[in-house]
Amino acid sequence: MFRRIGTVVVRHPVWTIVAWLIAAVAIVATAPGLPSNSDESSFLPKSYESIRAANIQDKAFPSSFTPSATALYQRSDGGRLTAADTKDVARITVELGKKKIDQVQRVVPGPPSKDGTYTMTLVQMDDKSAGQPEQADAAEVLRAEVKKLTEGTELDVKLGGPAAEALDQQDSSERGEALIGIGTIAIILVTLLIIFRAPILAILPLILIGLVSVVANGVIAYATKLFDLQANSSISSILVVVLFGVGTDYFLFLMFRYREHLRAGDEPKQAMINAVSRVGEAIACAAGAVIIAFLALVLSTLGFLRQMGPALAIAVTATLLAGLTLVPAAVSLIGPKVFWPSKSWKQEPQGARFAALGRGMQRRPALAAALSGLVLVALSLGLFGYNATFDLSSGSMPKSKESMVVQTDMKAAYSAGAAAPTDVYLTSDDERPLDKSSFAAYAEKLGAVDGVASARLSTVNKPGTTADFTVTLAYEASSDKAIDTVAEVRDVAHANAPEGTDAAVGGLSSIFKDIDTAVAHDYRTVFPVAALLIMIILGLLLRSVVAPWYLMASVGLGFGATLGATVWLFQTAKGHSGLMFMLPVIMYLFVVAIGTDYNILMIARLREEARAGRSPREAAGMALRHAGPTVAAAGFILAATFATMMLAGNALLTEMGFAVSFGIAIAAFVMAMFFTPSLTALIGHAAWWPGHGDRAAEPATGTSAGRGNVPGQAQDRLPEQGREKDQFADDPSRTHR
């Protein structure tokens, strides 16, 4: 099949490129905009208690006041507020309400701090637009207007709250995305120039992947609208890295094999056909593993991850199609001039270092397996210290942003939980009015929970069927202590609810508690499903029942090593209280799926060498010799591109950038290059049971890669190379010779 694909696109390169251009133009012209949502509650299904509580609030208290933005005032000199200052704040609050700003429904004065140094203006917006871009726009207008109204006074004002956080997060995301994009392109360009010494070849993947990204983003926007998925601003940054990182990987897989066939004396177009024929299956299976892993996120209960899964799967699918069609067409159209001005592609460098590594692997596979396995196990020990944090707002932007400064100041000036109180809704089961005589005792029970600063009856709806008890926690809403406290508040609220009533606990801490529960569900569901599906793909590719087990075990060790290293860096060394809650899920999918890419490429080459008649140890050594440079170059570029996420300047993308880049480096330079090929060499022919995927169709007549016949494929013509020459076709560090 892959030979037929290669033949069609190489014989009709212009039409292939034109088809991609037409698709890109059509999609750009018609695709809807990609929506974004920063409202944490939108990530959860309606069955969770925090969402049920929010629905009760909407029904029983449609006009209840939930501030979407908070203007926090203090004197410019930091002193106590004077009577004149208080009068100025009252005037500003009234005038701000008269502005009739879009989305703003009510503007009311807030309480002063206990020490008299702060006071607030509270702004309520339309609940239906919570977390949507229009509220961020409203916050931008509010911030400008309140600062204008404060001019000429002794006051300093800052705007915080959910809407302001969405605005600052949007600004931070745009800046971070720009830095990530620039860093990704620079890394790919410089690395390819170093490897190939060919400017055309360095620029070509950026142009082609840029075209692919246009198509992928348009299709993602269509899918998001069609299936009513939730989006988050962080997805755009991740998409940039996935498209360019994975796209460059597949480009390198193809180009290294294309160069190998040119060196063998193939005519240029035939060399590309043979390259697609040989490496196409590995690319397709590698991409299939990534796509399956990403689609497993559809099983997540979190809207953010359910959106991310299909979006990333679409991006990788577009990249795969481009790798099998657009890239071969463009390169075959240019021909060997793609390597200009370098001449090194015409001959193999002598004494390549990967040849030496291959010989070492062949002689001592047990030592290679033991040392690489020890590295993975040692790093994995750090995962026992893992702790999750749930503050998406502060995690997705620097602490210097205005809304984050407000959050910090409010923690110091007010009760830590005052900015986001917890609400307990007591509702009658039979629509009869509640017994008000039980309210005082119920509030007392809630207030007695350890970690609760205060609890009081806030209001009762007009029919008297629902009562709202406001519970102020002693801790900041997203902290571990607040989440533990709200869990106890739930227990007390349910256990002490009067007969004939039902209690539901809402608020931000309650949402985070439910997110914690949802993530635990995802660990039990998404991880095993993704692993099982990837194992099936590996089994189909290798025609083996044995190999997929130890390949997935190695990737599991890679995941443990990555999480352990991330814990040690951010929690132990940097003193963070924990890592962002969704990081293990994202890291698992990237490290497992993309790490499997390199395992597939290496094992596919090992099988090819075995089919040429070599023993298991010889095949492992030759696979490292020939596929090692491809894995090293692809792993370095992909790890470096993910590392650019650390330039975004926020905790979420910094942690994600380090974890995924480190995981990919482990997958490429430890698992794929040493651990899995050495295990395969040690297990021998049994690794391919019950099939005979490693058995040669006929004895090998030379020692070069790929001379054995592969069923369904034409025999490739590669040069005779004696082992004593110690040559290595694809060492990127030696291409300048």
Side-chain angles (χ1 to χ4, degrees):
M1 180 181 76
F2 295 103
R3 178 169 290 278
R4 288 196 295 271
I5 292 173
T7 301
V8 170
V9 299
V10 168
R11 289 180 178 174
H12 306 284
V14 174
W15 286 112
T16 302
I17 295 170
V18 168
W20 272 92
L21 290 172
I22 291 173
V25 171
I27 289 173
V28 169
T30 59
L34 186 64
S36 180
N37 197 334
S38 60
D39 181 17
E40 287 88 349
S41 65
S42 67
F43 297 164
L44 292 166
K46 296 179 180 179
S47 59
Y48 281 87
E49 181 167 350
S50 59
I51 307 304
R52 288 193 291 108
N55 292 334
I56 291 172
Q57 177 186 345
D58 291 341
K59 181 179 178 181
F61 307 103
S63 60
S64 62
F65 191 92
T66 303
S68 301
T70 301
L72 185 67
Y73 307 90
Q74 69 175 141
R75 282 186 60 84
S76 302
D77 58 12
R80 290 175 60 88
L81 296 171
T82 65
D85 296 330
T86 303
K87 187 176 180 181
D88 284 332
V89 171
R91 173 186 57 80
I92 293 168
T93 301
V94 172
E95 292 186 15
L96 198 61
K98 293 179 179 178
K99 297 286 184 181
K100 302 297 181 183
I101 298 169
D102 181 48
Q103 295 294 313
V104 174
Q105 295 179 333
R106 294 170 63 190
V107 182
V108 300
S113 62
K114 292 180 179 179
D115 62 3
T117 58
Y118 289 91
T119 192
M120 297 184 288
T121 292
L122 304 177
V123 180
Q124 183 183 28
M125 297 186 186
D126 186 358
D127 288 341
K128 296 178 181 179
S129 302
Q132 299 297 330
E134 49 263 37
Q135 287 210 354
D137 295 340
E140 185 174 18
V141 177
L142 268 171
R143 183 171 283 169
E145 292 294 341
V146 75
K147 289 183 185 298
K148 284 181 183 178
L149 292 170
T150 310
E151 291 177 359
T153 70
E154 298 295 325
L155 297 170
D156 178 55
V157 63
K158 293 181 178 66
L159 191 74
E165 289 170 6
L167 172 64
D168 290 340
Q169 184 177 339
Q170 177 180 292
D171 177 66
S172 180
S173 176
E174 290 173 355
R175 174 182 173 275
E177 191 174 332
L179 288 172
I180 289 169
I182 294 170
T184 297
I185 291 171
I187 287 169
I188 293 173
L189 187 63
V190 171
T191 306
L192 291 180
L193 279 172
I194 292 172
I195 292 173
F196 293 105
R197 305 295 174 88
I200 296 175
L201 199 146
I203 295 172
L204 185 62
L206 298 177
I207 296 172
L208 298 180
I209 297 168
L211 178 61
V212 175
S213 69
V214 170
V215 174
N217 277 292
V219 176
I220 290 167
Y222 275 122
T224 300
K225 183 176 181 179
L226 180 64
F227 297 104
D228 192 28
L229 300 171
Q230 300 293 341
N232 185 276
S233 55
S234 298
I235 290 178
S236 298
S237 301
I238 298 170
L239 278 175
V240 170
V241 176
V242 168
L243 283 164
F244 281 89
V246 174
T248 304
D249 265 13
Y250 298 161
F251 180 84
L252 285 171
F253 292 173
L254 191 64
M255 290 308 300
F256 274 117
R257 187 56 75 97
Y258 175 59
R259 186 177 68 178
E260 191 174 335
H261 282 285
L262 287 175
R263 287 172 175 170
D266 285 356
E267 181 271 330
K269 288 188 179 295
Q270 188 61 42
M272 180 55 73
I273 293 173
N274 287 339
V276 174
S277 174
R278 283 290 190 178
V279 83
E281 184 182 21
I283 292 177
C285 289
V290 178
I291 291 166
I292 288 294
F294 287 157
L295 286 178
L297 283 176
V298 173
L299 301 175
S300 171
T301 52
L302 296 174
F304 168 68
L305 294 178
R306 283 202 308 274
Q307 156 66 9
M308 179 181 286
L312 296 179
I314 290 169
V316 175
T317 301
T319 304
L320 169 63
L321 294 175
L324 296 177
T325 59
L326 181 61
V327 172
V331 174
S332 65
L333 197 61
I334 299 171
K337 291 180 180 178
V338 75
F339 296 106
W340 178 89
S342 173
K343 303 292 185 182
S344 62
W345 64 271
K346 295 182 179 181
Q347 57 186 359
E348 288 188 279
Q350 299 293 317
R353 63 186 58 135
F354 279 95
L357 289 174
R359 288 196 307 271
M361 170 80 70
Q362 181 176 329
R363 288 195 300 264
R364 297 180 178 178
L367 180 62
L371 290 178
S372 54
L374 185 62
V375 170
L376 296 175
V377 171
L379 289 173
S380 298
L381 296 177
L383 64 84
F384 293 106
Y386 169 73
N387 184 51
T389 59
F390 295 86
D391 189 358
L392 278 177
S393 297
S394 62
S396 58
M397 66 183 115
K399 296 291 185 181
S400 58
K401 285 292 185 180
E402 185 170 327
S403 58
M404 292 295 96
V405 174
V406 170
Q407 188 181 93
T408 302
D409 289 346
M410 286 188 67
K411 289 178 187 177
Y414 296 82
S415 168
T422 296
D423 289 284
V424 178
Y425 297 100
L426 199 62
T427 305
S428 171
D429 289 340
D430 54 8
E431 297 299 323
R432 294 181 181 178
L434 297 169
D435 180 9
K436 295 182 179 180
S437 64
S438 64
F439 289 171
Y442 190 66
E444 186 177 349
K445 290 282 187 182
L446 295 174
V449 174
D450 187 30
V452 171
S454 65
R456 61 181 176 82
L457 174 66
S458 177
T459 185
V460 180
N461 67 342
K462 289 184 179 179
T465 55
T466 301
D468 176 9
F469 294 83
T470 299
V471 178
T472 303
L473 305 183
Y475 314 109
E476 194 274 323
S478 64
S479 66
D480 292 341
K481 290 183 177 180
I483 294 170
D484 292 340
T485 300
V486 86
E488 191 172 346
V489 168
R490 284 182 175 183
D491 292 340
V492 171
H494 297 154
N496 292 278
E499 187 177 351
T501 66
D502 180 58
V505 181
L508 199 54
S509 296
S510 184
I511 290 172
F512 288 138
K513 175 59 182 175
D514 285 339
I515 289 177
D516 189 23
T517 303
V519 170
H521 165 272
D522 291 349
Y523 290 163
R524 297 190 302 269
T525 306
V526 177
F527 283 21
V529 169
L532 177 62
L533 293 175
I534 291 173
M535 284 184 65
I536 291 173
I537 289 178
L538 289 172
L540 293 174
L541 169 66
L542 303 175
R543 278 71 166 178
S544 167
V545 173
V546 177
W549 284 98
Y550 68 82
L551 290 177
M552 285 306 299
S554 73
V555 174
L557 273 176
F559 167 76
T562 303
L563 182 55
T566 308
V567 168
W568 273 334
L569 176 63
F570 290 97
Q571 290 186 208
T572 305
K574 292 194 171 185
H576 291 192
S577 61
L579 304 178
M580 294 306 295
F581 68 89
M582 80 280 283
L583 185 63
V585 177
I586 295 171
M587 191 178 70
Y588 173 87
L589 293 169
F590 277 106
V591 173
V592 169
I594 297 176
T596 304
D597 269 18
Y598 302 131
N599 270 345
I600 287 174
L601 185 69
M602 184 63 73
I603 296 300
R605 187 62 186 245
L606 191 152
R607 180 182 63 178
E608 188 176 324
E609 299 294 343
R611 284 177 172 177
R614 296 183 176 86
S615 69
R617 292 193 178 197
E618 289 176 326
M622 291 299 291
L624 178 55
R625 171 177 174 173
H626 287 285
T630 310
V631 170
F636 172 78
I637 289 178
L638 191 59
T641 53
F642 271 102
T644 61
M645 296 172 69
M646 298 173 71
L647 300 173
N650 66 68
L652 173 60
L653 291 180
T654 298
E655 292 174 3
M656 192 183 300
F658 171 81
V660 177
S661 61
F662 186 85
I664 289 168
I666 287 288
F669 295 99
V670 179
M671 291 191 312
M673 293 179 80
F674 296 103
F675 193 61
T676 52
S678 61
L679 282 180
T680 306
L682 290 171
I683 295 171
H685 295 298
W688 308 95
W689 185 86
H692 301 287
D694 65 328
R695 300 303 171 89
E698 60 183 37
T701 58
T703 60
S704 69
R707 289 187 62 81
N709 289 328
V710 179
Q713 294 182 348
Q715 186 173 358
D716 293 336
R717 297 182 290 109
L718 294 179
E720 295 290 339
Q721 301 159 351
R723 291 173 191 158
E724 71 280 358
K725 290 183 180 180
D726 194 25
Q727 295 173 336
F728 184 54
D730 294 319
D731 185 353
S733 67
R734 307 296 294 264
T735 54
H736 63 283
R737 294 188 174 189

